[in-house]
Structures are given as structure tokens and as C-alpha cells.
């Protein structure tokens, strides 16, 4: 493992365009459970509450669960060492782009600047009538659903629900970066969610070396990954940091 980390650090140092692709696993050590797996959110909640069609028909019920999952449980989550190492790599010029499937804002809180939010961000709410954006900090969520102060419309969290398209800028920037990357570091993603999982696959097809950080094997591990750093995100990235700086 230490040898693989050293080899990864060398490849990263010698590369011109390193990108990262992160999934729910990077935030597990911040106390946010993933969707899938033994302790996943879908063991407790019905994914229907994040289905766009169901949401439009059942605002009140959906907002009850949305508040509980995203604004009660996760409100106080802080970036962990893994988020911080990626932010430091960007600051020191070793990481040029970060694509995240996460909606928890923890990369930005850790200091990352170039973050393509493939699935949006739970810290923003959007009025679907007039398009106005609000910070979730403006609401205490005691009274739900939150409403637009311009037109009274019910606000929707600005992350994508099942059945919704990927935000255009994030989509285009993510794939453009994947095409020019010479290294893609995948952290904590099963690779089961499309089209997000096509981002590292595109990097691979464009010739990038794929380094995967995950305690488990995933859909990337066999066909896509070149170097699997098997372990928790914060532990592996701490070791990589020591090799890099
Ligand atoms: P996933 O839930 O499908 O899988 C999580 C992956 O993380 C697994 O492969 C697991 O082995 C790995 N993992 C668990 N603990 C880890 C650790 N400490 N370090 C490194 N890896 C670890 O995640 P996904 O592939 O991102 O897909 C889930 C979808 O759900 C995404 O689209 C994402 O938008 C959304 N989601 C986001 C959050 C968040 O914002 N934090 C949380 C849950 C789900």
C-alpha cells in the first residue's frame, strides 16, 4: 500500500492536469451516510421522497423528510481530512479540477475553489417559478415548506432529484476536464450512478491514469482503475499528502 501511495504521488507530481471525482464515501467520515450499503440512507428512507414527480404531487410530505435528512441531520457536518487534502492540492497547484456528486458543500467549506457540482448543492434553495436562489441559512425550517419571498412559490433544494437533468455548466465542465485530464483520482464512489460515473470513464478513455481511493471494490475497480488505494478516504489522502508535500 505504501509503495502504491508513493507511486501515485510521483504520477501526480509529474502530471499536468490532475482531476478528482468524489462520491458520498468522502463525506462518510464527516458523519454523512452514503445512500447505498449497510448504513445507507435508503435503508431508512424511501427514495421516492427525492423523485421529482412524487415531489410535485406531495410537497408537504417530501419536505418533512428533506428537512430531516438534509437540514437536521447533516447541517453541522464539517469537512474531514480528505476534503482538506484535496483543497490543499488545489491550492498548491497539484489539482486542477474537482467534480463531485456530493451535495453537502463540504469541498467548498474545506477551501476547494474549482468544484463542479454534478448533482447540485443542498445549501441552496431555488424558486422554480422565478428562478431566485436562496441560501439555506436564511431559513430555520421550523415552518415547511419554505417559500419564495417574491411570489410565494414553494422552494426546492437546488440539488437534482431522481428524474431531473444534470446542471448544464457542471456537466459540460466535468466532461471537458475529463477529456484533458492525465490523472483522475476517484474517491468514495460506487460508480453506480449515471451519467456521473461516465466522467472518470471518459478520463480513462482519454488516456488518464485512474487512481481509486475506496475501502471496497466498486464498478470502477476492475475495468477503469489503474491503482486502487484500498482504505478510508482520510487515511489514504493523509498518507498521499505526506508523500506530496
Ligand atoms: P454511494 O452511496 O453509492 O457509495 C459510497 C461509496 O463510498 C462506496 O463505494 C463505499 O465503499 C465508499 N466509502 C464508504 N466509506 C468510505 C470512506 N470512509 N472513504 C472512502 N470511501 C468510502 O455513493 P456515490 O457513488 O457517490 O452515489 C451516491 C449518490 O448519492 C451520489 O449521486 C450523490 O449525489 C448522492 N449522495 C450524496 C451525499 C453527500 O452529499 N454527502 C450523501 C449520500 C448520497
Amino acid at each position: 500500500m505504501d509503495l502504491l501511495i508513493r507511486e501515485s504521488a510521483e504520477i501526480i507530481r509529474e502530471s499536468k492536469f490532475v482531476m478528482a471525482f468524489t462520491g458520498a464515501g468522502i463525506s462518510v467520515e464527516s458523519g454523512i451516510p452514503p445512500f447505498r450499503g449497510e448504513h445507507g440512507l435508503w435503508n431508512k428512507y424511501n427514495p421516492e421522497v427525492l423523485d421529482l414527480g412524487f415531489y410535485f404531487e406531495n410537497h408537504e410530505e417530501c419536505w418533512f423528510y428533506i428537512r430531516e435528512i438534509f437540514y437536521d441531520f447533516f447541517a453541522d457536518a464539517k469537512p474531514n481530512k480528505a476534503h482538506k487534502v484535496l483543497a490543499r492540492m488545489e491550492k498548491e497547484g497539484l489539482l486542477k479540477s474537482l467534480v463531485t456528486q456530493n451535495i453537502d458543500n463540504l469541498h467548498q467549506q474545506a477551501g476547494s475553489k474549482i468544484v463542479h457540482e454534478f448533482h447540485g448543492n443542498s445549501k441552496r434553495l431555488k424558486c422554480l417559478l422565478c428562478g431566485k436562489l436562496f441560501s439555506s441559512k436564511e431559513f430555520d425550517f421550523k415552518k415547511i415548506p419554505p417559500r419564495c419571498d417574491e411570489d410565494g412559490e414553494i422552494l426546492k433544494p437546488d440539488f437534482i432529484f431522481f428524474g431531473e437533468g444534470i446542471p448544464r455548466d457542471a456537466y459540460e465542465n466535468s466532461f471537458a476536464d475529463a477529456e484533458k485530464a492525465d490523472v483522475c483520482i476517484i474517491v468514495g464512489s460506487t460508480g453506480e450512478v449515471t451519467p456521473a460515473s461516465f466522467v472518470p470513464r471518459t478520463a480513462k478513455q482519454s488516456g488518464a491514469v485512474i487512481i481509486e481511493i475506496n475501502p471496497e471494490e466498486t464498478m470502477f475497480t476492475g475495468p477503469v482503475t489503474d491503482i486502487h488505494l484500498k482504505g478510508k478516504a482520510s487515511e489514504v489522502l493523509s498518507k498521499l499528502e505526506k508523500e506530496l508535500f
Side-chain angles (χ1 to χ4, degrees), residues 2-181:
D2 286 349
L3 259 176
L4 287 179
I5 290 182
R6 205 164 303 146
E7 186 189 341
S8 303
E10 264 168 39
I11 294 170
I12 289 168
R13 249 189 265 108
E14 284 163 13
S15 297
K16 288 197 179 69
F17 196 99
V18 179
M19 71 182 296
F21 173 82
T22 66
I26 196 170
S27 297
V28 165
E29 291 164 87
S30 293
I32 303 181
F35 279 167
R36 293 168 187 75
E38 198 189 340
H39 303 290
L41 285 170
W42 298 146
N43 289 330
K44 188 170 173 207
Y45 295 98
N46 185 344
E48 199 172 49
V49 299
L50 296 184
D51 177 273
L52 197 62
F54 187 80
Y55 172 80
F56 283 136
E57 305 279 307
N58 305 277
H59 282 121
E60 311 273 335
E61 184 190 341
C62 289
W63 257 107
F64 178 84
Y65 292 108
I66 289 170
R67 171 176 65 186
E68 185 167 297
I69 304 172
F70 298 100
Y71 302 105
D72 289 348
F73 286 174
F74 301 166
D76 298 328
K78 303 269 182 300
N80 64 52
K81 184 70 185 171
H83 298 101
K84 289 177 189 165
V85 173
L86 292 180
R88 181 172 179 200
M89 285 173 65
E90 180 191 319
K91 200 166 171 228
E92 311 250 1
L94 287 179
L95 186 72
K96 297 287 192 288
S97 169
L98 196 162
V99 176
T100 188
Q101 299 173 85
N102 295 342
I103 55 171
D104 54 28
N105 204 46
L106 293 183
H107 285 299
Q108 290 89 335
Q109 284 174 236
S112 288
K113 304 280 184 241
I114 304 168
V115 182
H116 304 304
E117 297 173 330
F118 210 83
H119 292 155
N121 192 319
S122 63
K123 303 292 175 192
R124 290 188 307 262
L125 304 179
K126 187 174 185 180
C127 174
L128 297 186
L129 199 61
C130 70
K132 186 170 172 183
L133 290 169
F134 298 80
S135 163
S136 62
K137 285 193 198 130
E138 292 175 47
F139 302 90
D140 68 6
F141 295 103
K142 283 202 183 89
K143 205 170 144 229
I144 48 169
R147 288 183 183 272
C148 178
D149 59 6
E150 301 280 340
D151 50 36
E153 180 72 6
I154 294 172
L155 301 178
K156 180 187 164 293
D158 195 24
F159 58 78
I160 62 158
F161 283 27
F162 297 114
E164 230 177 324
I166 307 301
R168 196 179 162 155
D169 281 0
Y171 185 93
E172 288 176 357
N173 291 330
S174 299
F175 282 102
D177 287 353
E179 279 175 19
K180 59 183 175 217

